[in-house]
Amino acid sequence: MPATPYRLKDCAYGNCKIRRKKMLSRVANTIYWMCRYIERAENVARFISVNLNLLLDMPMEKGNHWEPLVMITGDQKVFEKNYPDYDKKQVIRFLTFDREYPNAIITCLAAARENARSIREIISSDMWEHLNNFYLELSDNCSPDFALSDPHRFFKIIQMRSHLFTGLMDCTMSHGEAWNFARIGMMLERADKTSRILDVKYFMLLPQADLVNTPLDNIQWSAVLKSASALEMFRKRYHRITPRNVADFLIFDEGFPRSMRHCVAKANVCLNRIDGSAPTGPPQNAAEKQLGRLEADLTYTDIDEVIDQGMHEYLDGMQTRLNRVDTTIGTTFFNIKLAANTGVQEQ
Amino acid sequence: MKTFSTYDPEDFYDELIVADGSPRPGARLLVDMIESLPAGDLALRQKAAEALLLKMGITFNVYGREEGTEKIWPFDIIPRIVSADDWQQIESGLKQRIFALNEFIQDIYNAKKILKDKVVPEDLIMTSRTYRPACEGFTPPKGIWCHVTGTDLVRDSDGLIYVLEDNLRCPSGVSYVLENREVLKRTFHQVFEASRVRPVDGYPSKLLEMLEYLVPEHIVSPTIGVLTPGIYNSAYFEHSFLSQQMGVELVEGQDLVVDNGCVHMLTTKGLKRVDVLYRRIDDDFIDPEVFRPDSLLGVKGLIGAYKNGRLALANAPGTGIADDKVIYAYVPAIIKYYTGEDAILPNVPTYICRDDDDRAYVLEHLDQLVVKAANESGGYGMLVGPHATAEERADFAEKIKAEPRNYMAQPTISLSRVPTIVGDRIEGRHVDLRPYVIFGEEIYVQPGGLTRVALPKGSLVVNSSQGGGSKDTWVL
């Protein structure tokens, strides 16, 4: 393209104009939530997989194995209003295909796709096309039948689609501010959901305290690991499956990508990059302060303290703190309109 | 399967096939190629193209149903071919027309010479719903008002090309020209290469150059944005596509504030000044302080910043005056007035209902005419006389009598046709053509433009909101 006289006059270095980008708050918010939604959809698929694995491993067990899944979402009331029983078919339908339910897989994907659609100019076409297809296939009329007739395969596919999305994001999108916000959303959601996967076991176990340390108990713990795709990696670190080891691994392991500590650390790195802060320097805003403190706590707490405190209570506390980080990121980066109107601004 | 052997152009002008069934000169390669395909292959290619569009999420939204209903862009893979000679006439005709319209808009908001010389009646301008008193006495950056125009052209059975209407506000569709081409390159690549089709993908660069041209010279690294009403707008896909192709921001009203007389974006790191907006929000909604106070889409104070030279807008507010469908009737006179030349592209004969004789004729011949409201678009607010019921015609007659200023009428044109895939066969369907014109440092006409096709048999309405589809347009 020939340079116009106007361009030549303007640009001392020839024919390129560098646009110094600043990111729209709305866009940052949208991409952050896009990734949270996808990660959430994947994790709902994981919860269902935990349960499917558990049921396979204890075919003789009687009792209600589908209710805990709804319990960990905290949405029993929503469920009970619309569904008569906690059976497999209804719980799967609720968690996967119920568009009225905000945390159903299909609702999360619809929201992720709507978000992606409004920032298509920011993400890569590969990401958009994949997410668009992912959603379209899930909304196909045949999907519910597939989910019920071959649930293991169905929910595995959902997990894989989500991984593919993450891979595309890493490989086809510049690792700039938008990508860092996307990663923070994904990591916070994942940390939260790992804590909830651990809680599935807690809810399963609660009515049956006498089963602790029985073979059945070990089977259940290994099902939990499988659901976090963690069994092999766990085996390399610990050889024996005990509740203590599993919890230690899923909460504190430094290197395992779904452990809470790992997720929080990665989110923190991305947040520092956005602000241009040194990783060990003082926090520049409330979000950095909260997330940094959370990471430090995860570094300096150990599993014995958690067990002393009570695992469920500990996990519950972590979930609250993660929510608080989420809110603070919102007020720090996404809702700056108030600040603008009161004349507080940076250039 | 002899695909074209059963094809009958009937009494219409067909863009690919002449009356005896043989291809027009430029269409031979394409027709031969389609003929040589194994049975069923063409339908498969059509399906593959549709699947591609779905996968790429190329959609538009339809109003009047559930809010934001997203539809896949209907697309037919048989392209429409425009000969080099036809194109030469179209291109020079459009440059002449857009130049004159720009002069006209500048004149009526400033010196008003053309009104004083009584070439265009003054009351017609002052009663137009798209006249913007807020623009009086204003000259936009570089004197350009209509930066982007999409002018609708049709070919009648006499083979001549006419201007059907001008769209100077926020004409849409150019993104589909680019995406259609992408799909066709994959579908018919051999013919495509052999036919030397003129490329269309320079459009985003031309658009960006034009937007940069509007920036005051001392600003070295301008911030440029496409202003969209958001994802529920019918043309949202296009807004997003253009901003992506140009590498500029896509902003909504909620992303902008006016501070210290300048327009700023709200970013994660505070405010960032914006220099140019390619706005795709109508005048009415762009600034609640100046136009509709109930608008939630716009930005308070935007017009003030614009008029003080702190922001450039494309297209300029106020351009709508030139695409009032009644003022359209005066465009040949406008061209003559500002250029001294006759219009290269003729208008379709037009009856102006505010004119007593014309109105009497229109009311008497409603069954033969197409009647349009002055300021509707997208195929809304019009009557296609020959296809309407007696009751619809009577209703329209009342509307015309009640508000004659607001209506004009044209004879029904028998739009030219292009072979189109209908189920497992090929039938002729009516088309129009919307080329896109960018007015920056010079006037650029994108080769081709959007061919819109009326998919229902016999239909003459090509708007996508009324069930129309599109085709790729090959300029040779």
Side-chain angles (χ1 to χ4, degrees):
Chain A
M1 185 201 329
T4 63
Y6 165 72
R7 291 178 148 212
L8 284 177
K9 201 188 308 171
D10 256 3
C11 186
Y13 300 101
N15 57 5
C16 69
K17 255 185 193 176
I18 298 167
R19 287 176 209 290
R20 258 167 293 136
K21 284 271 182 175
K22 283 200 181 178
M23 186 163 201
L24 287 172
S25 295
R26 174 180 53 83
V27 169
N29 188 20
T30 304
I31 197 162
Y32 171 89
W33 274 102
M34 176 185 78
C35 278
R36 284 206 79 141
Y37 286 131
I38 290 168
E39 186 68 25
R40 188 170 293 177
E42 178 189 329
N43 279 292
V44 174
R46 283 178 183 279
F47 292 151
I48 298 171
S49 295
V50 185
N51 230 34
L52 291 164
N53 282 333
L54 283 170
L55 291 175
L56 275 191
D57 288 335
M58 41 182 190
M60 306 307 287
E61 271 297 299
K62 290 254 162 47
N64 203 338
H65 296 291
W66 289 94
E67 189 173 355
L69 278 192
V70 180
M71 285 168 71
I72 56 162
T73 64
D75 293 319
Q76 296 104 303
K77 275 191 190 143
V78 189
F79 181 87
E80 283 160 16
K81 211 172 84 191
N82 297 311
Y83 297 83
D85 297 303
Y86 284 100
D87 68 10
K88 173 181 166 186
K89 194 172 165 182
Q90 293 177 50
V91 171
I92 286 183
R93 192 168 287 275
F94 175 66
L95 292 177
T96 314
F97 297 108
D98 189 341
R99 284 182 188 266
E100 305 291 306
Y101 172 50
N103 293 321
I105 293 175
I106 197 151
T107 321
C108 289
L109 279 178
R113 176 176 176 270
E114 200 74 340
N115 279 17
R117 204 158 79 83
S118 74
I119 51 166
R120 250 166 100 160
E121 78 289 358
I122 305 288
I123 62 176
S124 70
S125 318
D126 286 327
M127 288 163 70
W128 159 253
E129 285 185 22
H130 173 66
L131 181 51
N132 186 40
N133 270 334
F134 187 1
Y135 169 75
L136 291 175
E137 286 187 22
L138 192 72
S139 17
D140 192 275
N141 290 337
C142 309
S143 283
D145 287 341
F146 179 18
L148 290 171
S149 61
D150 194 353
H152 291 274
R153 208 171 125 227
F154 181 83
F155 291 103
K156 190 74 186 172
I157 289 173
I158 290 182
Q159 291 170 46
M160 285 301 154
R161 292 272 154 85
S162 161
H163 284 309
L164 182 50
F165 181 83
T166 313
L168 286 170
M169 192 172 93
D170 274 2
C171 301
T172 62
M173 181 179 175
S174 297
H175 291 197
E177 197 177 336
W179 184 86
N180 281 309
F181 273 113
R183 288 282 294 178
I184 294 174
M186 185 180 293
M187 288 299 132
L188 292 182
E189 182 71 22
R190 187 178 292 174
D192 176 80
K193 290 305 179 287
T194 296
S195 78
R196 287 171 197 267
I197 285 178
L198 267 172
D199 252 11
V200 178
K201 172 60 182 158
Y202 167 83
F203 278 106
M204 303 274 316
L205 197 59
L206 193 61
Q208 302 168 286
D210 54 323
L211 289 178
V212 176
N213 282 333
T214 63
L216 183 64
D217 189 38
N218 285 348
I219 287 170
Q220 290 188 348
W221 281 113
S222 77
V224 168
L225 285 168
K226 271 190 220 158
S227 308
S229 302
L231 185 60
E232 290 93 350
M233 296 302 136
F234 174 86
R235 289 278 191 206
K236 288 182 206 309
R237 167 120 185 246
Y238 294 103
H239 299 285
R240 273 193 61 219
I241 294 181
T242 65
R244 183 184 179 281
N245 289 350
V246 174
D248 185 31
F249 189 75
L250 288 183
I251 300 173
F252 294 115
D253 192 87
E254 214 181 327
F256 183 65
R258 307 194 75 81
S259 86
M260 295 177 67
R261 179 176 168 196
H262 183 89
C263 294
V264 166
K266 290 293 170 197
N268 205 14
V269 169
C270 293
L271 188 60
N272 286 331
R273 277 197 210 121
I274 288 168
D275 292 328
S277 320
T280 51
Q284 302 205 352
N285 54 50
E288 282 196 0
K289 193 170 160 184
Q290 282 184 16
L291 196 57
R293 189 178 282 168
L294 189 58
E295 188 191 350
D297 283 353
L298 280 161
T299 310
Y300 295 109
T301 310
D302 65 34
I303 188 65
D304 296 322
E305 291 170 64
V306 171
I307 290 171
D308 286 348
Q309 186 186 336
M311 185 142 87
H312 173 68
E313 288 68 24
Y314 177 80
L315 292 174
D316 218 36
M318 289 308 271
Q319 286 161 17
T320 309
R321 290 179 70 180
L322 287 164
N323 283 343
R324 222 176 282 146
V325 171
D326 172 79
T327 310
T328 309
I329 286 175
T331 50
T332 308
F333 299 104
F334 305 153
N335 310 321
I336 70 151
K337 199 150 197 167
L338 278 176
N341 287 343
T342 53
V344 181
Q345 62 181 77
E346 305 167 40
Q347 281 302 320
Chain B
M1 176 170 91
K2 276 274 182 273
T3 322
F4 282 98
S5 58
T6 53
Y7 181 77
D8 181 6
E10 298 170 50
D11 292 333
F12 300 101
Y13 184 99
D14 194 283
E15 300 282 349
L16 292 190
I17 307 289
V18 286
D20 69 354
S22 58
R24 290 189 186 276
R28 173 159 298 283
L29 266 173
L30 176 74
V31 169
D32 286 353
M33 189 265 183
I34 291 175
E35 294 278 6
S36 71
L37 291 175
D41 201 78
L42 190 63
L44 281 181
R45 285 174 196 234
Q46 171 71 27
K47 286 226 164 60
E50 284 167 7
L52 195 61
L53 288 167
L54 181 66
K55 180 168 173 263
M56 288 155 72
I58 298 171
T59 56
F60 67 103
N61 294 343
V62 181
Y63 298 130
R65 305 181 192 180
E66 192 186 333
E67 189 183 9
T69 305
E70 220 184 318
K71 286 191 67 172
I72 295 301
W73 180 245
F75 174 68
D76 183 84
I77 58 169
I78 302 178
R80 179 249 196 92
I81 295 179
V82 180
S83 70
D85 287 348
D86 279 347
W87 184 251
Q88 215 253 315
Q89 187 212 358
I90 291 173
E91 190 177 15
S92 51
L94 288 175
K95 284 182 175 172
Q96 177 200 49
R97 190 173 180 98
I98 300 310
F99 174 81
L101 287 175
N102 193 65
E103 294 286 300
F104 171 67
I105 301 168
Q106 172 68 16
D107 187 22
I108 59 165
Y109 286 119
N110 290 278
K112 300 186 174 20
K113 287 202 312 257
I114 196 167
L115 306 181
K116 287 170 191 154
D117 290 339
K118 303 205 182 302
V119 178
V120 175
E122 183 159 6
D123 72 293
L124 196 63
I125 300 293
M126 298 306 156
T127 56
S128 176
R129 271 183 227 163
T130 46
Y131 183 74
R132 297 279 173 260
C135 297
E136 278 174 17
F138 179 70
T139 300
K142 319 270 178 182
I144 305 169
W145 292 79
C146 44
H147 307 86
V148 180
T149 312
T151 295
D152 291 339
L153 306 175
V154 293
R155 196 200 292 270
D156 201 353
S157 47
D158 57 10
L160 292 179
I161 294 165
Y162 295 90
V163 176
L164 186 66
E165 62 186 51
D166 300 292
N167 298 284
L168 287 85
R169 281 172 280 183
C170 305
S172 58
V174 72
S175 55
Y176 301 116
V177 175
L178 302 180
E179 292 291 25
N180 286 352
R181 179 60 57 86
E182 279 307 302
V183 173
L184 254 255
K185 274 182 184 166
R186 300 192 211 181
T187 313
F188 285 136
H189 67 98
Q190 308 95 326
V191 192
F192 191 84
E193 284 158 14
S195 302
R196 296 179 175 274
V197 178
R198 290 192 211 178
V200 292
D201 45 14
Y203 187 87
S205 311
K206 292 284 182 190
L207 184 62
L208 182 59
E209 273 175 40
M210 179 274 285
L211 295 170
E212 286 178 338
Y213 179 62
L214 305 179
V215 179
E217 310 216 335
H218 64 273
I219 295 175
V220 178
S221 180
T223 298
I224 297 173
V226 175
L227 176 60
T228 174
I231 60 170
Y232 296 115
N233 183 267
S234 63
Y236 177 76
F237 168 77
E238 174 152 308
H239 308 158
S240 153
F241 178 87
L242 289 176
S243 81
Q244 182 186 44
Q245 294 296 309
M246 292 191 286
V248 305
E249 303 292 340
L250 179 67
V251 292
E252 298 177 11
Q254 53 164 319
D255 298 325
L256 301 175
V257 287
V258 175
D259 189 55
N260 248 335
C262 298
V263 178
H264 297 269
M265 311 188 290
L266 303 168
T267 78
T268 55
K269 290 172 183 154
L271 300 184
K272 166 92 175 127
R273 186 173 159 182
V274 179
D275 304 291
V276 190
L277 286 174
Y278 176 33
R279 55 95 176 208
R280 296 292 298 260
I281 298 182
D282 276 336
D283 291 354
D284 280 346
F285 299 99
I286 203 168
D287 182 348
E289 266 181 9
V290 182
F291 303 118
R292 281 176 63 153
D294 59 336
S295 170
L296 300 174
L297 301 172
V299 185
K300 228 170 112 182
L302 186 97
I303 294 297
Y306 169 65
K307 289 176 81 173
N308 290 325
R310 306 295 184 86
L311 171 78
L313 284 175
N315 288 345
T319 53
I321 189 63
D323 67 14
D324 183 299
K325 289 185 174 66
V326 177
I327 289 168
Y328 155 91
Y330 294 87
V331 174
I334 289 170
I335 291 173
K336 184 84 183 172
Y337 185 80
Y338 293 109
T339 67
E341 300 164 2
D342 290 325
I344 298 169
L345 291 170
N347 267 14
V348 176
T350 302
Y351 304 96
I352 303 168
C353 296
R354 72 188 273 279
D355 192 295
D356 294 340
D357 293 348
D358 279 13
R359 185 173 62 253
Y361 179 86
V362 169
L363 290 172
E364 232 162 82
H365 296 85
L366 271 182
D367 57 337
Q368 298 159 27
L369 298 170
V370 176
V371 188
K372 296 179 188 170
N375 288 304
E376 297 276 359
S377 60
Y380 295 98
M382 66 186 275
L383 175 85
V384 182
H387 296 186
T389 63
E391 198 185 3
E392 285 166 337
R393 288 199 291 266
D395 278 356
F396 235 83
E398 291 311 311
K399 286 189 195 168
I400 294 168
K401 283 182 215 157
E403 210 185 348
R405 157 66 182 87
N406 199 35
Y407 290 95
M408 61 86 130
Q410 295 168 330
T412 322
I413 297 176
S414 82
L415 302 184
S416 62
R417 304 202 312 188
V418 179
T420 299
I421 298 172
V422 180
D424 56 355
R425 43 182 285 140
I426 294 177
E427 291 179 11
R429 287 292 182 268
H430 296 291
V431 293
D432 76 350
L433 177 63
R434 177 182 287 185
Y436 296 88
V437 187
I438 295 175
F439 195 150
E441 198 170 13
E442 52 191 17
I443 300 177
Y444 166 79
V445 187
Q446 184 196 33
L450 183 65
T451 290
R452 298 184 299 175
V453 46
L455 292 173
K457 195 178 181 73
S459 167
L460 293 169
V461 184
V462 296
N463 300 93
S464 52
S465 42
Q466 311 285 331
S470 77
K471 285 170 167 288
D472 194 17
T473 310
W474 291 4
V475 175
L476 301 179

